[in-house]
């Protein structure tokens, strides 16, 4: 079974984002970039499936500028077999990403696609669902456990009332949640081996996908600073203040 894992290069989650002076977006100049954490979990899950003998090949794909090669090499060092980079200098919106991934899936013919439930830079949470719709495949979102058996997959996901279990036939789409696994660190020998693993480069035009933006960002601003809280002497004073705020009756 072949597993395809899309990964995205984003601002490292340890870095505090800074808005550009002109308010046109987030300043990415001279800041650390890394693999989207949810995608890292997806790569780890695919590798574990291979280690269990369920998967035979793990292919990672990224859509973005040439520097995304670094992200793909990280996935290769974790244990993926080969990588595909679809270069695109401009920001690609979720629908265009899903269309490109569909074209890649049509070429690669994977039985399972595992990707992060969302990217931490735009938090759209759309690509996995759009891709499932375009391919006409079953999907399990926000997976906290994935079990593949024969030609079916069982996904356990957290919902408000507890846990929900979904079963569906392969091929399928799975999007990962934080509790699915703990991604491994790439060892130095594997980092060296990753440099010689296959990495193919293509463009969005190769797949005939229009990546022109459909959404225009008018302005980006930092969130307002939280005001300091106050201490109350007792429950009566707390209730009185909540009533004054209209929170309690």
């Amino acid at each position: 079974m072949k597993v395809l894992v899309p990964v995205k290069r984003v601002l490292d989650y340890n870095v505090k984002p800074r808005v550009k002076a002109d308010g046109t977006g987030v300043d990415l100049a001279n800041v650390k970039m890394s693999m989207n954490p949810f995608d890292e979990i997806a790569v780890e899950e695919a590798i574990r499936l291979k280690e269990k003998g369920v998967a035979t090949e793990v292919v990672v794909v990224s859509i973005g500028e040439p520097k995304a090669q670094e992200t793909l090499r990280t996935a290769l060092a974790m244990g993926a077999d080969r990588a595909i980079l679809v270069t695109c200098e401009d920001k690609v919106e979720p629908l265009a990403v899903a269309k490109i991934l569909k074209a890649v899936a049509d070429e690669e013919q994977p039985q399972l696609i595992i990707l992060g439930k969302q990217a931490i830079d735009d938090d759209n949470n759309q690509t996995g669902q759009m891709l499932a719709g375009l391919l006409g495949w079953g999907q399990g979102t926000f997976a906290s456990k994935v079990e593949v058996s024969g030609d079916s997959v069982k996904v356990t996901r957290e919902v408000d009332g507890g846990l929900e279990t979904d079963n569906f036939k392969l091929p399928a789409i799975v999007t990962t949640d934080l509790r699915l696994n703990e991604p491994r660190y790439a060892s130095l020998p594997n980092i060296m081996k990753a440099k010689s693993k296959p990495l193919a480069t293509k463009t969005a035009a190769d797949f005939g996908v229009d990546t022109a933006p459909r959404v225009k960002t008018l302005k980006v601003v930092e969130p307002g600073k939280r005001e300091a809280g106050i201490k109350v002497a007792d429950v009566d004073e707390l209730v009185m203040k909540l009533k004054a705020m209209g929170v309690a009756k």
Side-chain angles (χ1 to χ4, degrees), residues 56-68:
T56 55
E57 185 181 27
V58 176
V59 182
V60 289
V61 57
S62 188
I63 302 165
E65 58 183 341
K67 289 182 180 179

Side-chain angles (χ1 to χ4, degrees), residues 32-222:
K32 183 181 179 182
M33 305 291 284
S34 61
M35 188 189 303
N36 178 47
F38 291 104
D39 296 340
E40 196 172 11
I41 292 169
V43 173
E44 174 66 26
E45 191 64 22
I47 294 168
R48 291 188 184 188
L49 288 174
K50 185 181 176 184
E51 290 173 343
K52 292 175 183 176
V54 176
T56 55
E57 185 181 27
V58 176
V59 182
V60 289
V61 57
S62 188
I63 302 165
E65 58 183 341
K67 289 182 180 179
Q69 285 192 36
E70 301 168 7
T71 304
L72 290 171
R73 291 295 181 195
T74 299
L76 292 172
M78 289 174 66
D81 297 296
R82 58 188 177 90
I84 302 169
L85 173 62
V86 182
T87 58
C88 187
E89 293 294 340
D90 299 324
K91 183 179 179 181
V92 188
E93 294 174 355
L95 180 57
V97 171
K99 287 180 178 179
I100 293 172
L101 291 177
K102 178 188 181 299
V104 173
D106 289 341
E107 244 183 37
E108 292 290 331
Q109 292 294 304
Q111 286 71 53
L112 182 64
I113 300 178
I114 309 177
L115 64 162
K117 69 174 184 177
Q118 64 196 72
I120 63 171
D121 53 358
D122 51 25
D123 278 332
N124 281 320
N125 179 24
Q126 294 175 335
T127 302
Q129 292 88 331
M130 288 178 171
L131 179 57
L134 291 172
L135 287 169
W137 292 5
Q139 60 176 311
T141 56
F142 312 126
S144 59
K145 187 176 182 180
V146 177
E147 299 170 271
V148 179
S149 178
D151 64 346
S152 65
V153 58
K154 182 167 72 173
V155 171
T156 302
R157 56 197 304 271
E158 295 180 1
V159 295
D160 291 340
L163 296 176
E164 175 184 289
T165 302
D166 299 319
N167 290 277
F168 38 90
K169 294 290 184 181
L170 296 172
I173 307 283
V174 173
T175 69
T176 62
D177 210 343
L178 285 174
R179 292 176 182 82
L180 180 58
N181 60 51
E182 184 71 30
R184 70 192 68 191
Y185 288 101
S187 64
L188 183 57
N190 285 340
I191 292 173
M192 300 305 293
K193 289 178 184 176
K195 295 180 180 179
S196 60
K197 288 185 177 180
L199 195 159
T201 303
K202 299 188 177 184
T203 66
D206 293 336
F207 299 109
V209 177
D210 178 15
T211 58
R214 290 170 168 78
V215 178
K216 182 180 180 182
T217 301
L218 300 179
K219 190 176 183 182
V220 178
V221 296
E222 291 187 9

